[in-house]
Amino acid sequence: MGRQQLEQALLEEMQTAEQAYHSASAEYKKAMQWHGNVPDHPYGAHVVREAAALERAALERYVEALKAFSDLVIQGRQPSHTP
């Protein structure tokens, strides 16, 4: 895979991860609106915890994808994985 192809693949991976993060963040905010004011209810607490975990995981994927893209574009470093 050439540099331009790799850069494009990493850009697409980063954009996909960004969209997934924004979606997970919106779901977390929705869970907090619906269930955040009832922390003692087991179902509500579970929904909020699950949404928070999904948001954290999506953020981690986004940060990793952003780092891989910026390492290649700014510093010329090859990523540890190929998308």
Side-chain angles (χ1 to χ4, degrees), residues 25-54:
S25 182
E27 288 299 315
Y28 173 70
K29 288 175 186 171
K30 191 185 322 179
M32 284 299 292
Q33 287 176 347
W34 283 95
H35 303 289
N37 60 350
V38 196
D40 295 337
H41 191 277
Y43 176 73
H46 173 73
V47 169
V48 170
R49 275 194 310 274
E50 285 294 312
L54 291 173

Side-chain angles (χ1 to χ4, degrees), residues 3 14 19-20 23 25-26 29 31 33 41-42 45 54-55 57 60 64-65 69-70 72 76 79:
R3 164 127 179 173
M14 181 185 65
Q19 291 170 351
S23 177
S25 182
K29 288 175 186 171
Q33 287 176 347
H41 191 277
L54 291 173
E55 182 188 34
E60 289 173 10
E64 289 171 6
F69 179 74
S70 64
L72 177 68

Side-chain angles (χ1 to χ4, degrees), residues 12 62 67:
E12 290 171 8
Y62 176 45
K67 183 175 179 348

